[in-house]
Amino acid sequence: MVRTGAHAYIKYGWEGTTYGVLDTSEVADKKFGLADKMSSLSLTNNKVNLAQLNKNTVHKYAYGQQSGSASMSFTLSNPWIIGSILGAPTASGSSPNYIYTYDSSLTTFTKTPRTIQVEVGYDGLAAPIVRTLKGGIVGALSITASVGGLVDCSSDITYGVETAPSATLGTAPVLPAIEFPYTFAHATLEFRGATVLQCQDASISMAQNAELLYGLSSHSAAAAYKRVLDITGSFKASWLNKDALDDMLAQVSLSSPQEMVTGIIKLSFVKNATNEKIVIELSGVTLNDLGVSGLEPIEPLFEDISFTAKNIKVTATSLTSSAE
């Protein structure tokens, strides 16, 4: 009998200072978001085929670094997975307006990756299979809102440790305490201090360029480290003025080049303006490309703009009294 996703679950928890080990206060009980799915899961041992003289066939196998990868996609319902890129948030506020801030511009911004441990459970036909993916680093996280759709998120995970699976099936994730499906109607984009009218889609991507580190005496990874945080994005909106064009032309001015766009880019997802919202602010923004589409009879004219930012600040206001 064929098994479906109804016979499986995925959940994660935060690791502590020891790579591959859950934090002492943690349990792997978190959901990535609503309608979360793992579209791919792969494990490799980087096998090497060894030949020998006087033969045309493989003589021996040797095995190298153990590494795995997974791709997740889900609907944005809470801010917590952002901590896999920007580290644990700073908490402030009080009931009912708890505020959690992730800010890459602070001197206290974490310089080491915050690793996760993912449990994949499968109620197999013969017996349960529970895989534990340890030492996971979320390489990139993308958030996209398009007219008529949900706020879609995607992330890629690389992990460096996996031991023999368990046959004891766990339970489905119990967190988050509050879930809400954000859609395009909850999203607002601001550019150069003004709301972008008739915006069709907007996306922001954070990539921490983290890597696994291996050492002698083990096929599994021993640690993880990250490189420069890349923050990029794009949006498509009705062509209403020449502001973006002025910015593009100013950037390549020979006499006085403009390094950055004036102001910030802000993408907000608001369920309740008082205590349920996620606001993403990008600073140090420069434009990469400016395209125009629809230059044909009886078609709407749109600008397609892509950009890069130096820093990102995410402010999440929640009814939840502690970060998950």
Side-chain angles (χ1 to χ4, degrees), residues 138-196:
V138 177
L141 174 65
S142 297
I143 303 173
T144 302
S146 300
V147 168
L150 301 163
V151 179
D152 296 319
C153 300
S154 62
S155 63
D156 61 83
I157 302 169
T158 303
Y159 66 97
V161 181
E162 183 174 357
T163 52
S166 168
T168 303
L169 199 65
T171 59
V174 296
L175 290 177
I178 297 175
E179 291 184 303
F180 177 76
Y182 286 97
T183 72
F184 75 100
H186 300 100
T188 303
L189 181 70
E190 295 179 32
F191 176 66
R192 298 175 98 252
T195 300
V196 178

Side-chain angles (χ1 to χ4, degrees), residues 135-308:
I137 49 178
V138 177
L141 174 65
S142 297
I143 303 173
T144 302
S146 300
V147 168
L150 301 163
V151 179
D152 296 319
C153 300
S154 62
S155 63
D156 61 83
I157 302 169
T158 303
Y159 66 97
V161 181
E162 183 174 357
T163 52
S166 168
T168 303
L169 199 65
T171 59
V174 296
L175 290 177
I178 297 175
E179 291 184 303
F180 177 76
Y182 286 97
T183 72
F184 75 100
H186 300 100
T188 303
L189 181 70
E190 295 179 32
F191 176 66
R192 298 175 98 252
T195 300
V196 178
L197 302 176
Q198 301 162 19
C199 185
Q200 302 300 292
D201 60 61
S203 66
I204 290 175
S205 178
M206 299 166 275
Q208 60 180 339
N209 295 296
E211 300 281 350
L212 299 176
L213 184 68
Y214 293 81
L216 297 178
S217 79
S218 176
H219 292 285
S220 300
Y225 63 97
K226 64 180 181 179
R227 302 180 187 274
V228 174
L229 177 64
D230 289 330
I231 308 162
T232 57
S234 64
F235 65 90
K236 178 179 181 178
S238 290
W239 188 7
L240 301 177
N241 54 50
K242 64 183 183 68
D243 291 348
L245 177 60
D246 285 340
D247 286 327
M248 285 288 290
L249 296 175
Q251 287 176 175
V252 295
S253 170
L254 291 177
S255 58
S256 56
Q258 175 180 293
E259 181 187 7
M260 294 174 291
V261 173
T262 302
I264 62 174
I265 288 180
K266 181 187 292 186
L267 180 58
S268 304
F269 303 102
V270 179
K271 176 190 176 185
N272 182 304
T274 302
N275 50 33
E276 291 178 276
K277 58 184 176 180
I278 303 170
V279 179
I280 304 173
E281 298 175 273
L282 307 181
S283 59
V285 175
T286 183
L287 302 186
N288 302 331
D289 298 288
L290 171 61
V292 175
S293 60
L295 285 167
E296 53 188 284
I298 324 300
E299 289 297 326
L301 292 170
F302 294 110
E303 285 186 312
D304 296 279
I305 298 170
S306 67
F307 53 84
T308 299

Side-chain angles (χ1 to χ4, degrees), residues 81-105:
I81 193 60
I82 291 172
S84 64
I85 300 287
L86 302 181
T90 300
S92 60
S94 58
S95 180
N97 305 323
Y98 300 101
I99 299 172
Y100 302 95
T101 304
Y102 308 81
D103 193 345
S104 70
S105 67

